[in-house]
Amino acid sequence: MSLSKSPTHIVVFGRPGSGKSSLAERLCQERGFKLIRTGELLRAAVRRDDYLGRRVSDHLANGTLVPDRLILELLVDSLQAPGSERLLFDGFPRTVGQIPLLAQFERDLGFHIECYLDIHVSRAEAESRMTGRRVCPVCGATYHVKADPPRVPEHCDHDHARLEGRKDDRLEVVRVRQDLYDQHTQPIVDHYRTHAPDRFVVVEGDNSPSPDFIYAETVRKLHFDQLGATS
Ligand code: ADP
């Protein structure tokens, strides 16, 4: 469904490979949302090497989920009452146990999530997108074996170097990340679809011609006008 007016506060969901993060960044740049990205906040804590950072660093290094109580600690420290700022959450909630944490923040800080946005991509499509990514080790140009192939298979158009896959795009690693999503995050998406159907918006990512198309579809469904203002 689409909303009747543009939302002030949004949570965005999408499996790894869905393009969710780029879309979230673009919504923030073009529509003035403040991005609350737990992955980024956690990495910053690790870089600062503070008390929280030291307790989450192993989870980040291994790709396992940080326990809910530490996510609570992180957000209590980082989230302030938004005032007139419009928030866009990317990466939170990530487990069913974090659903009540978000509700608690809404009550305590006085904001209301008006949209749960699901950038829906099938697992097969996401895996194919991720494992098909290639990068040139010499000039950094990026390709995709199906969606954006080089002229000569597996070789860079600019310097003919042999292209490489990223370490975290190997099929075993990709499958672990997809499993985590299926196990922990899909149930949250299902929860909001059932419990907040009037605030739940799906944008179909499979068979979409481009990220621009998905962005335009999101803007339309979220009822933003085409010029950048909100209705
Ligand atoms: P990715 O999409 O690769 O998982 P993120 O930047 O979203 O990247 O998150 C990086 C890491 O931070 C995750 O692998 C996980 O360890 C941790 N993380 C981020 N957000 C959460 C959260 N809400 N709950 C638990 N762990 C989280």
Side-chain angles (χ1 to χ4, degrees), residues 56-111:
V56 300
S57 66
D58 281 353
H59 291 287
L60 263 76
N62 301 333
T64 50
L65 291 177
V66 169
D68 292 347
R69 66 192 155 74
L70 297 183
I71 295 294
L72 174 64
E73 212 175 293
L74 173 84
L75 287 176
V76 164
D77 282 351
S78 323
L79 256 189
Q80 275 143 22
S84 59
E85 252 174 349
R86 300 146 73 228
L87 306 179
L88 188 152
F89 289 87
D90 173 8
F92 173 80
R94 185 108 149 206
T95 65
V96 169
Q98 292 174 17
I99 292 175
L101 298 188
L102 175 59
Q104 185 187 327
F105 283 121
E106 288 183 78
R107 279 194 304 275
D108 293 354
L109 300 179
F111 67 93

Side-chain angles (χ1 to χ4, degrees), residues 27-75:
L27 274 177
C28 289
Q29 272 158 17
E30 296 187 17
R31 306 284 153 170
F33 286 91
K34 178 175 178 189
L35 184 61
I36 309 290
R37 178 173 276 167
T38 41
E40 211 50 64
L41 294 169
L42 289 165
R43 280 188 286 275
V46 171
R47 280 196 299 274
R48 285 195 304 273
D49 195 28
D50 59 16
Y51 181 49
L52 179 72
R54 286 194 289 277
R55 286 176 294 156
V56 300
S57 66
D58 281 353
H59 291 287
L60 263 76
N62 301 333
T64 50
L65 291 177
V66 169
D68 292 347
R69 66 192 155 74
L70 297 183
I71 295 294
L72 174 64
E73 212 175 293
L74 173 84
L75 287 176

Side-chain angles (χ1 to χ4, degrees), residues 162-231:
R162 188 163 182 86
L163 301 177
E164 295 176 349
R166 291 190 338 201
K167 246 204 304 197
D168 54 350
D169 285 345
R170 279 180 300 129
L171 186 59
E172 314 86 85
V173 181
V174 165
R175 285 201 172 134
V176 170
R177 293 180 63 199
Q178 297 293 337
D179 284 345
L180 270 183
Y181 182 89
D182 285 337
Q183 210 182 326
H184 294 283
T185 309
Q186 187 61 53
I188 310 178
V189 177
D190 297 340
H191 169 90
Y192 289 123
R193 187 202 319 270
T194 311
H195 290 92
D198 51 335
R199 288 180 284 157
F200 189 84
V201 173
V202 185
V203 173
E204 273 306 330
D206 276 5
N207 307 319
S208 153
S210 69
D212 279 349
F213 181 87
I214 302 210
Y215 184 75
E217 193 58 7
T218 304
V219 162
R220 187 181 70 74
K221 286 199 167 179
L222 265 47
H223 232 266
F224 294 126
D225 69 34
Q226 302 302 316
L227 298 171
T230 54
S231 63

